[in-house]
Amino acid sequence: MEKQIYGLLAEFDTPTELVRAAEKVRDAGFVKTDAFSPFPLHEIDEALGIKRSILPYLVFAGGVAGLLTGIGLQVFTHVFDYPIIVGGRPHLSIPAFVPPAYELTILLAGFTAVFGMLFLNGLPQPYHPVFNVPRFALATREKFFLLIETKDPKFNYEETRSFMESLNPQEVFDVEE
Amino acid sequence: MQDIKEIQERIYPPMVEGEHTFDTVTDKISDLTLKKKTPFHWFIGFGIAFIIAQILLFTILYLVTTGIGIWGNNQPVGWAFDIINFVWWIGIGHAGTLISAILLLLNQKWRTSINRFAEAMTLFAVACAGLFPLLHTGRPWLAYWLFPYPNTMGMWPQFRSPLMWDVFAVSTYATISALFWYVGLIPDLATLRDRAKNKYFKLVYGLLSWGWRGSARHWHRYEITYLLLAGLSTPLVLSVHSIVSFDFSVSQVPGWHATIFPPYFVAGAVFAGFAMVLILCIPLRHVYRMKDFITHTHLVYMAKVMLATGLIVCYGYAMEAFFAWYSQAQYEVFMMKNRAWEGPYWWSYWLLILCNGASIQLLWFKRFRESEFWLFTISIVVSIGMWLERFVIIVTSLHRDFLPSSWAMYSPTMFDWSMFLGTLGFFFTLIYLFVRFLPIISIFEVRTLLPSAEVEHHHGHDGEHKESFIEQVNEPKGETA
Amino acid sequence: MTNLENYQAPDEINRWRTLALGIGGIGLIIWAVGCYFDSQNALRSWLLGFIFWGGIGVGGLGVLILQYLTGGAWGVVIRRTVEAASRTLLILPILFIPLAVGVTHLYEWTHLENDPIIQGRGWYLTVGGWIARAVVYFILWGVMAYLLNKWSANQDKAADMEESAKWLGTATAFSGPTMVAFALVVTFAAVDWVMTLEPHWFSTIWGMLFIAGWGLSCFCFVVAILALLSDKAPMNRVLGKRHFHDLGKLMLALVMVWAYFNFSQYLIIWSGNIPEETGWYLTRTKGVWGVIGLLLILFHFAFPFLILLQQDFKRKAKLLAGMGVFILVMRLVDMFYLIAPSPLIEHGGGHEASHFSWLYLVGPIAVGGLWLAFFFYQLKQRPMVPINDPFLENAIKHGKGH
């Protein structure tokens, strides 16, 4: 049986080389691309055409949900469900309700940030074809990789491979499914 | 141009010393967990900490089976060692969040090599702190009653009480700190996964890293999340210690009821926390040869933060004393006199001033700031001082309350001490385990500090950048002045 | 080395100076007339103007000290503007004269010789002690502002980078201990000038409220001035989006700190509910004062907070400056809320409830015109950026970045 190819992976030594190569790949019209680096690179976002994530808006919504939960919970329990005077404070003790509502705001916003990020990133994902390339283990150490997937409409094995080789990588690998 | 760079580096030295590249940074830090044989001193240290932690276990066992009467708490000093230790521990935790969150927002690069273990310190300190109020309830197995859930008693927790605010604040704090720490660990866990030779280690780190592969899209969202978490943690950490201070200040007890308490407690917490970070990282950088990453400059910066926060704490003492006099309110005046010279605990107040006020003045001088010995010593003195501060606030304010007939003295019992000592053992046990099994320095963030992490600009742009600003201004082009 | 002329503020500043002086002069005349009819409210309005505008100057000194301690690009680009603000402390003693002369019409405690609490404070709360302390505050502030300004000017004259770095080092070393002295002076000044309006009331967080509040005033003011200058030479070559982003973040942080301190004070006093303190808030949460308090929560905190949370907003200089001016107006309302509800003195002791007076508008305008005129005059005196500072070039590059 013939091996299924997921894409082509090029290895680079420095972040600058990766960014330059990514720019060329973008300019050549490839869209199903990705880059891998051992630390975040701000320049790559522009080079690959990555749009700003919607995550901040989700987190804001999470915070608002937490705030409303906090206010709702306290008003419901202390004003409607079981009104009782404690310590001479009125049923609706707004100043005293601020701290718990505040904490819940932060809690839900924080949950949204972390789990939203994992969800949008599709993690946890223990298996991914790029892991099949043995050298890829260095992506978490010191090497930089650029991927073009076969799914890309412009992908053509021979042409794409020679195009990637023209970017001066250390090496170009076939990524098996 | 060269001499500008030199001057700049003299004022702000680089945060990574020695000749390092991405791979040497990775190997040096990850080898501690993966390659190196566990050193003998680790076993010794861990063993001692572990034995002391057993004291905690026995104390808790005896406490739960007998009751909190084994402590020295009495009337009117109903809050004593348990709350002192709770506030002390939770305060220590705050420096971790400060280093990881606030310094990240302020773009302070020196946070990078100390944030990981400072955050670990936060988690472990909060774990120790949580034990005290939990056990002070007397029946810790019913602690879930503190959470609002519909129950057969038809009752709700009392949200007007600062103790309830504490439940929300401390549990939120523990949760968010754990998430922040874990999110920061994910890329490093992936590094460990890819570098581990041992099959089991590889599996565990693989599971924990959730398949992280360093994709640019992932990094993009990851960085946003990290910044957002920092933005959330900063007001969180302020609120947590403010709420702890509300435990006291929303009451009417003189010595507790002061409007300055929230910011003054927060500053005190960070002060104690930085002292603990210094206590941990001074030996750590020697034992594990991490001096390239935890440089001299790091220690000096931490000393400066300690000095600044310590001065805010001293400002708090000054304001308490000044306003007690200024108010001319009889209870306030009495409280201050009782605290400082008329009461039986006067010595604790002056010891506190000595530890927290006088000792840190040494940090104004370069000689002390740059000596590891003095920094370590001052940090220990400050830790003691911050413990005494809570002793002064809690015990001396309570033991002379409004009703002279109920005045009494307080003295801790053996079990008060064993519980406190036991949490120290517990804390260091966790620290030792952390040092053994996880990277103590954030590897991926240290990589970003290296000069080679800079992406060089396009040649087209280069021309613009190289032209000095000064020259541009001196030859104005079509200026309309 | 370099030609300092190229860094002077644009000549338009002179027009603004004349305009401010004109408005201030007219305000002063109206205020003087008002003083003749209603000396007590007129003096309070002068105090309001003095605390608000003087606060920007004091805040300027505080921010100047702070930026030496923290470093960072924002500090380098705003340094000369906050220096000009700190030099306005020179005319503060002159603006203080009406208050010193009218002290017995302004503060109830000057008539409470038989009150045990006032007696207990001894010489501290007598007219003599009060004025003597003000003199000490002005001298201390003056020395701090003088030295820091002098060393910064020395940087401009420095022969080379090495010498310039030396003056920067001197200013930084001086700033550490000076911050301590500065915080204490602000605290005691805030107690003397504002807290004693209610002779019995006290709150230990008071000094911090003013340190943060005046710092916020200063940042808002500086952002507004820099946005005005950002498309004119020389600042158009200096300021970038990222500088405003950083300043916007600091504004946001201080808005939050302001809310935090105020909420802490309110929650603690509300919960304790003891007679020594609660009266202060009792007046301020009833009727019209209560509405103003609510407006402060909404427009001194909630609205600016939500707007400043947005990243894109902070990067647009003009929008951010608009927000700065808005917050400054709310700062004025905040000061008004602290000063105006305090009980008025009836002649021959005793007091009556306070009420609104049109005069409250005149004082801030009169003081503001004079203060701004002096500020603009000072701003024109020096290059707009510390040209020889070893970090200037980095700071400018930082502004152009992402």
Side-chain angles (χ1 to χ4, degrees):
Chain A
M1 199 180 116
E2 202 177 324
K3 281 180 283 182
Q4 281 284 323
I5 300 283
Y6 176 79
L8 288 168
L9 192 66
E11 179 190 319
F12 298 92
D13 267 351
T14 68
T16 310
E17 285 169 15
L18 176 74
V19 172
R20 293 291 160 271
E23 280 162 356
K24 282 181 196 144
V25 166
R26 178 198 62 199
D27 293 342
F30 290 100
V31 282
K32 288 277 175 196
T33 54
D34 205 348
F36 304 90
S37 55
F39 54 88
L41 279 172
H42 299 262
E43 290 81 356
I44 200 81
D45 292 353
E46 203 183 318
L48 282 181
I50 297 175
K51 288 193 204 80
R52 224 180 115 75
S53 173
I54 56 158
L55 203 55
Y57 299 97
L58 295 183
V59 172
F60 183 76
V64 171
L67 182 66
L68 294 177
T69 312
I71 295 170
L73 174 73
Q74 297 179 85
V75 171
F76 169 71
T77 54
H78 285 355
V79 181
F80 296 106
D81 194 51
Y82 201 132
I84 183 173
I85 300 272
V86 170
R89 314 223 195 308
H91 290 147
L92 187 65
S93 295
I94 296 169
F97 292 170
V98 170
Y102 181 92
E103 298 303 327
L104 279 174
T105 307
I106 289 184
L107 185 68
L108 289 205
F111 276 146
T112 317
V114 174
F115 296 110
M117 180 269 283
L118 291 173
F119 175 77
L120 292 174
N121 279 350
L123 296 176
Q125 187 186 6
Y127 173 77
H128 190 275
V130 287
F131 289 130
N132 291 335
V133 177
R135 292 276 298 173
F136 188 74
L138 298 178
T140 56
R141 186 163 174 260
E142 91 263 37
K143 297 292 185 191
F144 301 81
F145 293 88
L146 188 64
L147 171 80
I148 300 179
E149 295 178 22
T150 45
K151 273 184 280 181
D152 193 286
K154 292 197 73 175
F155 190 90
N156 170 302
Y157 184 80
E158 302 300 330
E159 280 176 24
T160 309
R161 198 177 169 96
S162 64
F163 169 69
M164 283 186 100
E165 264 151 16
S166 76
L167 300 172
N168 288 328
Q170 297 298 308
E171 207 178 333
V172 177
F173 305 98
D174 291 347
V175 181
E176 293 165 15
E177 281 278 9
Chain B
M1 284 314 282
Q2 201 50 46
D3 62 313
I4 292 194
K5 192 124 186 91
E6 204 185 293
I7 292 169
Q8 287 174 347
E9 291 204 348
R10 202 165 59 217
I11 300 176
Y12 299 114
M15 284 296 135
V16 178
E17 284 176 0
E19 299 286 314
H20 276 290
T21 54
F22 299 135
D23 45 346
T24 58
V25 167
T26 311
D27 297 353
K28 192 157 184 201
I29 303 171
S30 62
D31 279 356
L32 285 184
T33 35
L34 295 174
K35 288 260 182 64
K36 293 252 169 66
K37 232 181 88 189
T38 311
F40 185 64
H41 56 75
W42 186 89
F43 286 104
I44 303 270
F46 177 76
I48 295 171
F50 191 70
I51 289 167
I52 297 174
Q54 304 316 303
I55 298 176
L56 177 68
L57 192 67
F58 282 110
T59 311
I60 292 176
L61 198 70
Y62 184 52
L63 182 84
V64 167
T65 52
T66 315
I68 57 167
I70 64 167
W71 287 345
N73 300 25
N74 59 19
Q75 288 301 341
V77 189
W79 277 4
F81 259 45
D82 48 334
I83 302 295
I84 297 173
N85 296 336
F86 163 70
V87 180
W88 190 73
W89 274 119
I90 202 133
I92 285 174
H94 283 27
T97 318
L98 184 105
I99 289 172
S100 51
I102 301 183
L103 297 183
L104 180 74
L105 294 182
L106 294 176
N107 211 2
Q108 296 289 318
K109 292 211 157 66
W110 61 277
R111 73 176 273 283
T112 298
S113 32
I114 49 176
N115 69 334
R116 172 68 47 71
F117 72 81
E119 284 172 51
M121 180 194 84
T122 296
L123 284 179
F124 305 153
V126 171
C128 292
L131 283 174
F132 288 96
L134 184 74
L135 291 166
H136 196 186
T137 62
R139 286 178 286 173
W141 55 93
L142 296 178
Y144 64 91
W145 284 6
L146 288 165
F147 289 99
Y149 66 100
N151 56 47
T152 49
M153 297 172 283
M155 295 198 350
W156 296 104
Q158 181 49 255
F159 288 111
R160 296 183 196 94
S161 158
L163 300 183
M164 203 56 227
W165 306 343
D166 252 357
V167 173
F168 276 74
V170 174
S171 52
T172 300
Y173 185 48
T175 313
I176 297 291
S177 306
L179 286 176
F180 197 20
W181 187 61
Y182 188 69
V183 166
L185 266 170
I186 291 175
D188 284 357
L189 288 169
T191 300
L192 292 182
R193 169 198 69 200
D194 291 340
R195 298 206 355 104
K197 296 278 183 294
N198 180 311
K199 198 170 75 185
Y200 299 104
F201 272 46
K202 209 176 179 67
L203 182 73
V204 171
Y205 290 130
L207 284 173
L208 289 174
S209 63
W210 291 3
W212 182 264
R213 54 186 187 273
S215 152
R217 286 183 173 73
H218 291 183
W219 276 124
H220 172 74
R221 296 195 192 94
Y222 180 90
E223 281 223 291
I224 291 177
T225 306
Y226 206 61
L227 269 177
L228 286 172
L229 277 179
L232 291 167
S233 301
T234 305
L236 174 66
V237 75
L238 292 182
S239 79
V240 172
H241 226 69
S242 298
I243 287 173
V244 168
S245 84
F246 289 151
D247 288 346
F248 308 102
S249 57
V250 300
S251 76
Q252 297 171 340
V253 178
W256 285 12
H257 182 79
T259 50
I260 204 173
F261 258 37
Y264 148 69
F265 262 54
V266 171
V270 173
F271 180 47
F274 267 88
M276 187 57 97
V277 175
L278 278 168
I279 290 174
L280 293 178
C281 83
I282 289 174
L284 211 61
R285 69 194 284 266
H286 282 279
V287 172
Y288 287 105
R289 299 200 171 74
M290 285 292 145
K291 285 187 200 164
D292 284 357
F293 306 128
I294 305 170
T295 62
H296 214 66
T297 319
H298 282 96
L299 301 184
V300 172
Y301 284 174
M302 282 192 265
K304 284 181 179 170
V305 175
M306 204 161 86
L307 176 61
T309 48
L311 289 168
I312 299 176
V313 172
C314 294
Y315 174 87
Y317 301 150
M319 287 303 114
E320 279 191 309
F322 170 71
F323 279 102
W325 170 79
Y326 176 86
S327 74
Q328 289 290 313
Q330 58 166 328
Y331 301 117
E332 292 287 325
V333 174
F334 173 82
M335 175 277 295
M336 206 56 223
K337 278 188 192 164
N338 178 61
R339 186 183 274 187
W341 66 87
E342 282 183 355
Y345 293 111
W346 62 271
W347 52 268
S348 63
Y349 185 70
W350 293 106
L351 208 55
L352 153 73
I353 298 292
L354 189 71
C355 290
N356 281 0
S359 79
I360 56 162
Q361 305 307 325
L362 294 177
L363 295 172
W364 287 109
F365 305 102
K366 225 180 176 136
R367 213 185 113 209
F368 295 97
R369 225 163 39 209
E370 302 209 328
S371 140
E372 278 178 280
F373 168 77
W374 279 107
L375 273 184
F376 191 75
T377 314
I378 292 171
S379 299
I380 289 188
V381 170
V382 165
S383 296
I384 297 169
M386 282 311 292
W387 190 90
L388 278 168
E389 180 189 306
R390 280 68 178 241
F391 181 87
V392 167
I393 289 172
I394 292 166
V395 174
T396 55
S397 301
L398 284 179
H399 87 125
R400 294 280 180 270
D401 67 359
F402 289 105
L403 206 60
S405 63
S406 67
W407 288 1
M409 292 296 286
Y410 166 79
S411 57
T413 65
M414 186 187 124
F415 297 105
D416 280 307
W417 288 112
S418 69
M419 179 105 185
F420 178 49
L421 188 69
T423 49
L424 281 170
F426 181 48
F427 176 77
F428 280 102
T429 306
L430 292 171
I431 290 280
Y432 269 104
L433 288 174
F434 160 71
V435 167
R436 177 65 193 83
F437 291 109
L438 289 170
I440 51 172
I441 292 174
S442 175
I443 307 174
F444 86 88
E445 285 179 284
V446 173
R447 288 186 199 119
T448 63
L449 291 183
L450 300 177
S452 48
E454 293 267 330
V455 175
E456 288 157 31
H457 283 276
H458 277 286
H459 291 296
H461 286 268
D462 251 358
E464 280 172 39
H465 278 283
K466 272 182 190 148
E467 192 187 337
S468 161
F469 159 78
I470 303 288
E471 286 152 26
Q472 272 182 53
V473 180
N474 279 337
E475 291 152 31
K477 294 153 196 163
E479 196 182 344
T480 50
Chain C
M1 266 179 85
T2 38
N3 189 358
L4 299 182
E5 288 295 306
N6 284 330
Y7 304 91
Q8 291 298 341
D11 291 332
E12 259 173 297
I13 294 268
N14 291 336
R15 275 216 331 266
W16 299 348
R17 190 192 65 203
T18 316
L19 188 68
L21 194 62
I23 293 172
I26 295 166
L28 191 64
I29 292 164
I30 300 174
W31 180 80
V33 174
C35 208
Y36 178 74
F37 290 106
D38 183 355
S39 60
Q40 192 167 169
N41 275 322
L43 279 167
R44 282 189 176 196
S45 83
W46 190 268
L47 177 67
L48 175 62
F50 177 79
I51 293 293
F52 176 74
W53 293 102
I56 298 177
V58 176
L61 178 59
V63 173
L64 182 63
I65 298 171
L66 182 74
Q67 60 87 30
Y68 278 123
L69 293 176
T70 59
W74 62 272
V76 183
V77 296
I78 72 168
R79 189 180 300 155
R80 284 297 155 90
T81 315
V82 289
E83 272 174 17
S86 75
R87 290 198 297 275
T88 63
L89 292 175
L90 285 175
I91 58 156
L92 229 50
I94 298 167
L95 294 173
F96 186 74
I97 290 171
L99 302 176
V101 172
V103 61
T104 51
H105 297 276
L106 197 53
Y107 295 99
E108 199 191 342
W109 52 260
T110 54
H111 300 284
L112 299 178
E113 298 87 357
N114 299 322
D115 184 290
I117 290 181
I118 306 299
Q119 279 175 344
R121 289 178 196 159
W123 67 268
Y124 189 86
L125 210 61
T126 56
V127 172
W130 188 84
I131 291 178
R133 277 198 304 284
V135 172
V136 173
Y137 305 149
F138 291 131
I139 291 174
L140 287 174
W141 278 336
V143 170
M144 296 174 200
Y146 171 76
L147 288 174
L148 287 173
N149 276 284
K150 189 180 116 184
W151 292 326
S152 180
N154 285 352
Q155 269 193 302
D156 287 352
K157 289 176 231 139
D160 55 16
M161 217 37 114
E162 199 66 47
E163 194 193 332
S164 170
K166 198 191 89 199
W167 291 116
L168 181 68
T170 311
T172 310
F174 177 74
S175 291
T178 304
M179 195 51 150
V180 178
F182 173 80
L184 288 172
V185 175
V186 171
T187 303
F188 287 103
V191 171
D192 276 0
W193 298 341
V194 188
M195 190 191 270
T196 59
L197 281 170
E198 296 250 10
H200 290 177
W201 187 73
F202 61 94
S203 168
T204 42
I205 204 174
W206 195 250
M208 287 192 157
L209 271 176
F210 275 80
I211 294 169
W214 282 347
L216 175 60
S217 296
C218 171
F219 274 116
C220 292
F221 180 75
V222 166
V223 165
I225 294 292
L226 288 182
L228 276 176
L229 297 174
S230 65
D231 43 19
K232 302 177 180 70
M235 290 313 266
N236 57 353
R237 297 192 218 89
V238 174
L239 291 168
K241 280 181 177 175
R242 208 163 156 193
H243 293 132
F244 284 99
H245 192 176
D246 290 349
L247 291 170
K249 282 194 233 172
L250 286 162
M251 268 164 71
L252 173 64
L254 279 169
V255 163
M256 288 165 78
V257 167
W258 175 88
Y260 164 61
F261 286 171
N262 274 288
F263 175 71
S264 301
Q265 176 175 286
Y266 179 68
L267 180 69
I268 289 168
I269 291 179
W270 175 84
S271 298
N273 204 15
I274 53 179
E276 293 96 311
E277 300 171 344
T278 306
W280 196 84
Y281 272 119
L282 229 45
T283 328
R284 283 168 178 75
T285 46
K286 275 189 191 142
V288 190
W289 303 121
V291 175
I292 296 178
L294 206 61
L295 287 179
L296 282 173
I297 299 174
L298 289 176
F299 295 109
H300 199 312
F301 169 64
F303 176 66
F305 171 75
L306 287 176
I307 297 292
L308 288 174
L309 221 44
Q310 296 162 46
Q311 189 169 342
D312 295 338
F313 185 90
K314 284 176 283 199
R315 299 176 83 88
K316 297 191 179 86
K318 300 280 147 140
L319 286 179
L320 192 69
M323 182 48 82
V325 173
F326 180 82
I327 297 175
L328 275 176
V329 172
M330 291 318 290
R331 294 286 310 127
L332 188 64
V333 176
D334 182 34
M335 296 293 163
F336 174 72
Y337 186 70
L338 299 180
I339 292 172
S342 311
L344 290 167
I345 317 161
E346 262 177 19
H347 287 289
H351 58 241
E352 55 171 306
S354 179
H355 54 82
F356 284 99
S357 162
W358 61 275
L359 274 168
Y360 278 116
L361 283 174
V362 181
I365 292 174
V367 178
L370 302 176
W371 185 88
L372 275 173
F374 191 69
F375 168 79
F376 285 130
Y377 166 73
Q378 288 295 349
L379 192 62
K380 201 82 180 74
Q381 298 305 307
R382 299 229 179 128
M384 284 297 291
V385 283
I387 5 167
N388 290 339
D389 192 278
F391 295 98
L392 178 66
E393 194 142 359
N394 290 21
I396 290 164
K397 266 188 201 154
H398 172 88
K400 314 277 185 229
H402 290 283

